[in-house]
Amino acid sequence: MAGDRLTGSDKRALWLWVIAGILGALFAYKYYFKAFPEASVNFQVSREEALKRAQSFVAGMGENIAGDQSAIIFDVDDNAKTYLEREVGLKQANQLMSSELNIWYWDVRFFRPQQEEEFHVRVSPAGQIVGYEHRVEETRAGGTLDRAAAQSAAQNFASTKLGMNLGGWDLLAEEVSSSHKPNRLDWSFTWEKQGFRAKDAPYRMAVVLHGDRVGGSAEFLKVPEAWQRSYAQLRSTNLFYNELAIIPYFLLLGSALWVGITLTRREQTTWGGAIKLGAVVALFYFLMQLNQWEATRFGYDTNSSYSGFVASRVVLALLEALGTAIMVTLVLPGAEPLYRASQPLRLRLSKAFTLRGLRSKEFFSSATVGLSLAAAHIGFIVAFYMFGSKVGVWAPQDLNYSETINTTFPWIAGIAIGLVASTSEEFLFRLFAVPFVERITKSRVLAVVLPAFSWSFLHSAYPQEPGYVRGVEVG
C-alpha cells in the first residue's frame, strides 16, 4: 500500500534519529569508563578452582567435609568498597582493591542440612585464602587456653595456613577478648597493618579460636563508625525520594484498574490478551528465579529441612512470578483502549507483533527510533555523569563480573528483565499514564513529564548521590 511506504520526509527523519544514535553510541564508547570507572577484578582462579582450593584448605585444617554440600558465590564488601570510592576517589580505590586489599572474593560454603556445623572459606580472585569460618554449636567441647597459648595458636595459623608475615602487623591489645562457653574458652585476636590508612580506615586481620581450634579469620577494612552513620543518613535521602514516588505509582495503578473495570462493564475492553501476556511474563520470571538456584542455595538455613527450603523457594518464586503477571494483567485492559482513543491512527498493540504489524511502516519507524534513542540515551547518561562528577554527582563503580554468567542459562535473565520492564513499567507509565494524565490535565507536556518523573524517582533507592540525581537522570 502506498500509504504504508516511507515518504522522503519519513526517511530524512529516521536518518536524523539514526545519526543521533550513532553519535550517542560513539560518545559512550569513548568516554564510558571516564564517567563510570570499572572496578576491574583480575580473576586468576575460576569458580571451580576456588571451590577446589577451599576444599583443600578445610581438609588441611584437619576437618572432614566428605559428604557436605557446597555452594559458592562471588561477594563484595560493599561497605568498604563504598567508603574507598567516596573517600579516596575512584581511581585510587580501584588500585587499592586490585592490589593491597581483599574487598572481593569467592565465598565458598560447606554444609549439611539440619546440622549447625558448617564452613565458609573466602578465596581471593588471585587464589589466596583471605577468610575462614567454622561454625559450631555453643556447647561444642574444646580446650581452655590461656592468653599466651591462644595467641601463639592464632599467630601460627596466620603464618602457616594463611601465609601471612605478621612482622608487618601490630597486635591490638585492646581488641583481644575471651568468651566463656559451656565447654570451652574462645579467644579473638586482631592485628592492624602497619603504615596503612585509607584516609581514616585501617586494614585489619582477625583470628578467632574455639577452644584450642581455629574457628575463623577475616581480613577487613575498618570503616569508621562515624562515616557509616553519616553515609546511612545520606542514603536515607535516596530512600525518601523512592518512597515519595511510590504514591503516584499506586495512584496510577489504582486508576488503571478502575478504568479497566469500568471499560469491562461497558464491554469496551477484554482481558484475554492481558492474561496471556501476563502468563508469558510470569513464565520467564519464574524460570529466571529457578536459574539463580546456586545463589539461592547459598542462603539456605541449616536449621530447617532442605526439602522444606526447596519447596518454600519454589513457592516464593511462583508467587513473585504471579505478582509480576498481575501487575501486567491489571494495567493492560484499561491502558490499551485509552491509547487507541488518544492515537486512533496508530497500530493497535494487539496487532503490533502479527506478521502484518511487523511489516508495517509504523513498526519499522518505531523500532528504528526506539533503538536509535536507546543508543543516544547511553551517550546522554555518560555525559550526565562525566560532567556531573565535576559538581558533586557520584556513582559507585561497577564490577566487571555478574553472577548471571555462572547460571545454567544466562540468557533467561536478559529476556525476563526485558519483558518485565517493557510490560509492567512501560504499560503503566507510558501506555496508560500518558493518555490518562492528558485527559485530566488537557496538556500533552504534563502528560509526558509527570509520568516520566514519577517513574524515574522510583529508581532513587540506587546509591547515586545526591539522592535526587537518579530521578533527574532517568526522568
Side-chain angles (χ1 to χ4, degrees):
M1 295 183 297
D4 206 38
R5 294 181 180 276
L6 292 173
T7 64
S9 177
D10 292 332
K11 292 177 182 178
R12 285 191 294 272
L14 289 179
W15 271 115
L16 288 174
W17 280 110
V18 170
I19 291 170
I22 292 172
L23 291 175
L26 289 175
F27 185 86
Y29 177 79
K30 184 174 182 178
Y31 295 108
Y32 183 87
F33 291 107
K34 185 175 181 179
F36 304 105
E38 189 175 74
S40 181
V41 183
N42 182 18
F43 285 100
Q44 297 178 34
V45 294
S46 65
R47 185 187 192 91
E48 293 73 21
E49 179 61 26
L51 177 60
K52 291 178 182 177
R53 295 195 181 201
Q55 290 171 327
S56 177
F57 180 82
V58 175
M61 292 294 296
E63 305 292 349
N64 180 18
I65 55 173
D68 281 21
Q69 294 191 42
S70 65
I72 179 171
I73 61 171
F74 189 75
D75 205 359
V76 180
D77 183 345
D78 280 318
N79 196 40
K81 176 177 176 291
T82 302
Y83 175 84
L84 290 170
E85 291 173 355
R86 289 188 64 83
E87 298 303 315
V88 305
L90 297 179
K91 184 176 181 180
Q92 187 180 350
N94 201 18
Q95 291 173 346
L96 289 172
M97 292 186 291
S98 300
S99 56
E100 294 186 55
L101 310 180
N102 292 301
I103 301 298
W104 42 63
Y105 43 79
W106 295 107
D107 195 349
V108 187
R109 182 187 182 197
F110 302 100
F111 63 92
R112 293 186 184 187
Q114 296 184 291
Q115 182 172 306
E116 189 170 347
E117 182 179 25
E118 63 177 84
F119 301 87
H120 280 258
V121 181
R122 293 179 178 179
V123 183
S124 73
Q128 298 174 323
I129 305 300
V130 296
Y132 170 65
E133 182 182 9
H134 180 194
R135 297 180 186 176
V136 298
E137 315 90 280
E138 288 283 302
T139 56
R140 173 74 66 92
T144 305
L145 302 179
D146 59 27
R147 172 171 171 164
Q151 182 175 328
S152 177
Q155 291 172 331
N156 181 63
F157 166 79
S159 60
T160 60
K161 298 299 183 180
L162 300 180
M164 298 184 67
N165 178 14
L166 291 181
W169 297 72
D170 294 323
L171 177 67
L172 301 178
E174 68 275 15
E175 296 290 332
V176 176
S177 64
S178 61
S179 175
H180 288 274
K181 303 299 179 184
N183 300 303
R184 66 177 191 269
L185 178 64
D186 290 356
W187 284 93
S188 176
F189 299 90
T190 302
W191 287 264
E192 189 170 286
K193 192 172 184 179
Q194 296 173 357
F196 179 87
R197 276 288 192 281
K199 197 174 181 181
D200 299 319
Y203 194 59
R204 294 181 176 179
M205 189 273 294
V207 177
V208 173
L209 267 66
H210 294 158
D212 54 357
R213 298 184 66 84
V214 174
S217 68
E219 295 181 31
F220 60 96
L221 188 73
K222 179 63 175 176
V223 177
E225 292 183 6
W227 183 90
Q228 295 185 57
R229 289 192 297 269
S230 175
Y231 185 65
Q233 186 175 1
L234 188 67
R235 288 284 293 132
S236 67
T237 306
N238 295 72
L239 299 177
F240 169 75
Y241 287 118
N242 173 256
E243 291 167 359
L244 200 63
I246 291 175
I247 298 173
Y249 169 73
F250 279 114
L251 287 175
L252 286 173
L253 188 62
S255 299
L257 179 59
W258 173 74
V259 171
I261 292 173
T262 301
L263 294 177
T264 300
R265 289 175 176 173
R266 298 175 183 173
E267 298 183 349
Q268 294 177 343
T269 191
T270 59
W271 290 73
I275 293 172
K276 291 176 183 177
L277 182 58
V280 172
V281 173
L283 173 63
F284 278 98
Y285 189 90
F286 179 66
L287 291 176
M288 179 181 71
Q289 296 293 87
L290 294 186
N291 197 43
Q292 297 169 346
W293 180 246
E294 182 66 17
T296 303
R297 254 179 92 248
F298 191 88
Y300 163 61
D301 183 355
T302 55
N303 290 317
S304 62
S305 72
Y306 189 70
S307 59
F309 169 76
V310 173
S312 67
R313 294 298 99 181
V314 171
V315 170
L316 181 61
L318 281 170
L319 290 175
E320 290 179 353
L322 180 62
T324 304
I326 289 174
M327 292 299 100
V328 175
T329 303
L330 292 182
V331 172
L332 191 55
E336 214 274 337
L338 282 187
Y339 163 73
R340 290 203 315 269
S342 66
Q343 303 289 332
L345 301 180
R346 296 290 183 182
L347 191 65
R348 295 181 60 170
L349 183 64
S350 59
K351 303 297 183 183
F353 293 97
T354 62
L355 181 60
R356 184 174 181 178
L358 293 173
R359 296 176 60 187
S360 67
K361 179 180 77 172
E362 184 178 343
F363 187 93
F364 175 80
S365 298
S366 298
T368 301
V369 172
L371 292 171
S372 300
L373 185 58
H377 185 65
I378 293 173
F380 161 75
I381 293 173
V382 170
F384 183 90
Y385 282 100
M386 187 171 73
F387 295 110
S389 64
K390 301 180 185 300
V391 292
V393 174
W394 176 84
Q397 292 187 111
D398 287 327
L399 289 181
N400 60 342
Y401 174 83
S402 171
E403 280 289 339
T404 302
I405 64 174
N406 280 310
T407 58
T408 306
F409 304 104
W411 50 270
I412 288 179
I415 294 177
I417 294 171
L419 272 174
V420 171
S422 62
T423 52
S424 65
E425 295 182 10
E426 296 301 317
F427 282 3
L428 181 61
F429 289 99
R430 306 290 186 273
L431 191 68
F432 172 76
V434 172
F436 180 73
V437 174
E438 185 176 8
R439 285 195 174 196
I440 295 174
T441 63
K442 310 301 181 184
S443 169
R444 174 61 63 88
V445 173
L446 290 177
V448 173
V449 172
L450 292 179
F453 282 98
S454 297
W455 171 71
S456 68
F457 274 88
L458 282 172
H459 298 74
S460 295
Y462 285 77
Q464 278 85 344
E465 299 297 341
Y468 59 81
V469 76
R470 182 74 170 146
V472 174
E473 170 228 321
V474 176

